[in-house]
Amino acid sequence: MPPYPTLSGFVIPRHHTVISGQLDVCDKMQGTKNGELTAQQIENLPIDISSTKLLDWLIDRRHVNLKWQSAALIIREKINHAIQDMPEVEEIKKLLAGTYINYFHCLRIVELLKVSEESSKNIFGYYSSQRMKDWQEVVKLYEKDNIYLAEAAHMLIRNVGFEIPSLKKQIAKCQQLQAECSKKEKDYAESANSARDEYKQSCKQLGIKGEKIRSELLELVSELPQTYRSIEEQARKLSQVLEFYQAFVQFVNGSDEESMGDVCPMLQYLTQHGNTTVYQWRTGKVPDRVEEVKLSFLEDEEETKDDEIDFSGIDLDTGGIDFGDLGISVENEGAETIDFDIEVGDGTVTESGEGVARGNDALCLFEHIPTRNQFINEIIELQAFLGQRRTEMQGDSDVLTVNQFQTAPTIVQTKTLNDVTTMLSQVDDIYKRLTETRMQHLFLLIGSPKYVDRLTDSLKQKLSLEEKMLASREAVKQKRFDCLEDQTKLEPRVDALVGRTRELQKQIEGDISKRYKNRPVNLMGAINTI
């Protein structure tokens, strides 16, 4: 079997396949007579070259020198010198603006200079213009040893393998960051709304607007006496409930009337005497005088409002202070001590007589923690009793009809299911008012001055959380805009670089084609995916 010619002019066996840009001769010759190719068929065979191996292909076929880079550096220096003095031609400006000048650009510049430098042409047809001489020299240096072809191949490989993928990765990163920022914007907005709703809900539970937190909380404390009176009025209406409960307990336990006072003593006392002082509850006597208990944080609030000092009584010239009608004058000289005729004791206030309510005894029953807890416990006791009675009366057979209840007091036998349900509703209403979130906070406020600051800080923290989330949302929003701006700047660069690379591809393919009698040349591989 005769050997077949290859593109480089050497002969290889038929079973071999040429790689690195050469044709697969065996495949190309299928269908030919006796495996022989005509000269015309050989001239029409395309040359396929891998774009990533283009420079190696040119070096292997001795189209360019292996050490072309050292000569290319000298050419770059001459180009940098030549572009310092260029004519005001629009197309030349575009060629030089933001573009890596290569051989093909230099050819175009020489063509344009032939027009702009026409006046410098002498009678021998040579140009005396230094501009033309510089660029013609650059072209000659490029064409020596085909330096321009090696540089163009190197530039194409760099664009395809590094520059374009790098810019595309930056664009993809910008798009990814925009998506992440959009998601974070949504999350921060939801968190801000959640914090705001939680803040509003907390303020609603406390019964405040949330504009001036501390002041509004202290105003709630001042409304407590009115709330106490309202609860007291409701508690007074429980007399029938207590009577029903007491009669039932007495009948079941077989107790006498003297022991009836042991059932819900606090409720019995409230229905008869109201929300009195602890002193009266403890001693059974009305106090002669009640020393008002002032809350320290309320006093501090008043001091912050009246913290201005009137200096109108100070004589700045004499240095004395006028105390008005007190007849006291303090001078800078000759007055070492002042006798205000005040006796200073050990810091405690003493009072003769035993009819004075002071300290905890001066508090009302709802203000004092032990008595308030006792009242709530007795309300819970009534709830449990009435709830059980309602459950029993809702059954198929009312246990009150059983023989053992036929001898019960009239009040026990005559109460219907509706009556018990109504009484339970009254008790539940009092319990809810005393144990609702707002009242719990108010009880803590009057019981602990530091709780005012803690509650204020807690509400402010929820409000600041909303502000923090909104600030974070604005930050990621700005970051998203920045990424979008970067992407907007990168996309034209990619398009321009891809366009220049495509143009360079055609120029290289055309140049190689001329070296092989105008045979078709195709750069394959990554160049076709950019």
Side-chain angles (χ1 to χ4, degrees):
M1 182 179 296
Y4 296 95
T6 65
L7 299 178
S8 59
F10 296 98
V11 177
I12 60 172
R14 178 173 180 173
H15 65 277
H16 284 183
T17 300
V18 183
I19 59 173
S20 299
Q22 297 185 21
L23 297 174
D24 189 339
V25 179
C26 296
D27 293 339
K28 298 296 181 180
M29 292 190 303
Q30 288 182 0
T32 60
K33 184 178 180 180
N34 298 326
E36 295 180 357
L37 290 175
T38 64
Q40 185 178 1
Q41 288 177 324
I42 294 176
E43 291 177 358
N44 293 331
L45 288 176
I47 302 175
D48 296 335
I49 308 171
S50 173
S51 58
T52 57
K53 301 293 184 180
L54 176 58
L55 187 57
D56 295 336
W57 189 90
L58 293 173
I59 294 174
D60 288 343
R61 282 147 187 81
R62 301 182 184 277
H63 292 305
V64 298
N65 195 326
L66 182 62
K67 298 181 180 181
W68 63 271
Q69 291 182 337
S70 58
L73 291 176
I74 298 175
I75 297 174
R76 300 313 307 175
E77 292 179 1
K78 290 188 175 294
I79 291 176
N80 292 333
H81 175 73
I83 61 178
Q84 302 301 321
D85 180 26
M86 297 298 294
E88 294 295 328
V89 178
E90 190 65 27
E91 187 175 350
I92 292 179
K93 289 182 179 180
K94 291 181 179 180
L95 288 174
L96 299 179
T99 302
Y100 187 87
I101 305 298
N102 57 38
Y103 167 74
F104 303 101
H105 294 144
C106 294
L107 288 179
R108 182 57 183 166
I109 290 174
V110 170
E111 293 296 325
L112 295 173
L113 288 177
K114 288 180 180 179
V115 178
S116 63
E117 305 297 319
E118 180 69 24
S119 60
S120 65
K121 197 172 184 182
N122 56 29
I123 59 175
F124 299 104
Y126 295 101
Y127 291 90
S128 60
S129 171
Q130 186 62 38
R131 295 172 182 170
M132 179 62 78
K133 292 179 180 180
D134 291 340
W135 287 104
Q136 287 177 337
E137 182 183 4
V138 168
V139 170
K140 289 180 181 179
L141 290 174
Y142 259 134
E143 292 175 347
K144 183 179 180 181
D145 296 331
N146 297 324
I147 300 298
Y148 73 93
L149 190 57
E151 185 188 62
H154 175 74
M155 189 181 303
L156 184 138
I157 293 172
R158 180 174 179 82
N159 288 349
V160 172
F162 301 98
E163 297 294 340
I164 295 176
S166 176
L167 291 175
K168 287 186 175 180
K169 286 181 180 179
Q170 293 181 45
I171 292 175
K173 183 65 175 178
C174 289
Q175 293 173 341
Q176 179 185 356
L177 288 176
Q178 289 178 61
E180 292 176 357
C181 288
S182 297
K183 183 178 182 300
K184 287 182 179 180
E185 274 188 68
K186 183 178 179 181
D187 293 341
Y188 284 135
E190 292 177 354
S191 299
N193 292 334
S194 177
R196 184 64 180 176
D197 293 341
E198 186 177 353
Y199 175 75
K200 289 182 177 179
Q201 183 65 24
S202 300
C203 292
K204 183 179 180 180
Q205 290 177 349
L206 292 170
I208 62 176
K209 295 180 179 179
E211 297 174 356
K212 297 181 180 179
I213 301 175
R214 182 179 175 84
S215 300
E216 292 175 9
L217 289 175
L218 298 179
E219 288 179 4
L220 290 180
V221 176
S222 64
E223 297 174 3
L224 273 176
Q226 182 178 356
T227 305
Y228 291 154
R229 285 192 294 271
S230 177
I231 297 175
E232 177 188 343
E233 291 176 359
Q234 288 182 286
R236 285 179 179 273
K237 297 178 182 178
L238 297 179
S239 55
Q240 292 185 355
V241 181
L242 287 172
E243 185 180 354
F244 172 57
Y245 181 42
Q246 289 169 349
F248 188 91
V249 172
Q250 180 184 0
F251 172 76
V252 173
N253 295 335
S255 305
D256 53 13
E257 295 183 359
E258 295 181 357
S259 62
M260 290 176 61
D262 297 332
V263 178
C264 299
M266 176 63 70
L267 275 171
Q268 291 187 35
Y269 180 85
L270 277 168
T271 56
Q272 297 174 9
H273 303 92
N275 185 27
T276 64
T277 61
V278 176
Y279 177 89
Q280 184 175 348
W281 154 258
R282 184 175 57 82
T283 63
K285 299 177 182 179
V286 179
D288 297 332
R289 186 167 64 86
V290 178
E291 291 184 354
E292 183 181 359
V293 178
K294 291 187 177 181
L295 301 177
S296 59
F297 57 86
L298 290 178
E299 294 176 354
D300 295 340
E301 183 68 15
E302 292 178 358
E303 290 177 2
T304 57
K305 295 179 180 179
D306 303 327
D307 58 355
E308 295 184 359
I309 302 175
D310 184 8
F311 292 95
S312 59
I314 299 179
D315 187 354
L316 299 178
D317 295 333
T318 61
I321 303 176
D322 183 9
F323 287 89
D325 296 335
L326 294 178
I328 303 173
S329 178
V330 181
E331 304 291 344
N332 289 334
E333 298 179 359
E336 297 180 357
T337 59
I338 305 172
D339 186 7
F340 288 100
D341 194 18
I342 298 176
E343 295 183 1
V344 180
D346 58 358
T348 60
V349 180
T350 60
E351 178 69 30
S352 59
E354 298 181 357
V356 179
R358 63 169 62 89
N360 289 335
D361 283 349
L363 299 175
C364 69
L365 296 177
F366 290 149
E367 290 177 338
H368 192 42
I369 296 177
T371 53
R372 183 175 67 243
N373 290 340
Q374 182 179 349
F375 175 75
I376 295 175
N377 290 336
E378 292 180 3
I379 290 293
I380 295 174
E381 184 179 345
L382 281 182
Q383 278 183 315
F385 165 71
L386 294 173
Q388 180 64 28
R389 299 303 306 131
R390 184 179 63 175
T391 302
E392 293 171 352
M393 296 175 74
Q394 287 174 339
D396 295 335
S397 60
D398 189 349
V399 294
L400 294 179
T401 61
V402 181
N403 293 333
Q404 62 179 355
F405 280 93
Q406 291 179 354
T407 60
T410 304
I411 190 174
V412 176
Q413 296 189 43
T414 57
K415 291 299 180 184
T416 64
L417 177 61
N418 290 335
D419 294 334
V420 174
T421 302
T422 302
M423 289 187 290
L424 180 59
S425 177
Q426 293 176 341
V427 175
D428 287 342
D429 188 44
I430 295 176
Y431 177 77
K432 289 178 181 177
R433 292 196 63 183
L434 285 171
T435 57
E436 64 181 355
T437 304
R438 178 173 178 270
M439 290 299 297
Q440 293 297 319
H441 283 296
L442 290 177
F443 290 148
L444 290 172
L445 285 174
I446 62 175
S448 175
K450 292 183 179 179
Y451 186 74
V452 180
D453 297 329
R454 290 201 298 270
L455 183 57
T456 301
D457 293 340
S458 176
L459 292 174
K460 288 182 177 179
Q461 185 176 5
K462 294 178 181 179
L463 193 60
S464 64
L465 179 61
E466 179 197 11
E467 296 174 353
K468 182 179 179 181
M469 292 297 102
L470 291 176
S472 299
R473 187 188 67 174
E474 290 300 320
V476 297
K477 184 178 180 180
Q478 183 60 44
K479 184 177 181 181
R480 180 170 61 85
F481 285 152
D482 293 341
C483 292
L484 180 60
E485 184 178 356
D486 292 342
Q487 179 183 345
T488 305
K489 293 179 180 178
L490 288 171
E491 287 175 345
R493 290 178 55 189
V494 173
D495 295 339
L497 187 57
V498 169
R500 292 197 298 268
T501 305
R502 292 290 187 192
E503 182 182 358
L504 191 61
Q505 175 187 5
K506 293 180 180 179
Q507 292 168 341
I508 294 174
E509 289 175 345
D511 189 277
I512 296 176
S513 177
K514 292 178 182 179
R515 299 173 186 273
Y516 289 92
K517 298 181 180 180
N518 294 324
R519 289 175 58 184
V521 175
N522 300 316
L523 293 181
M524 311 297 290
I527 185 67
N528 298 315
T529 62
I530 60 174

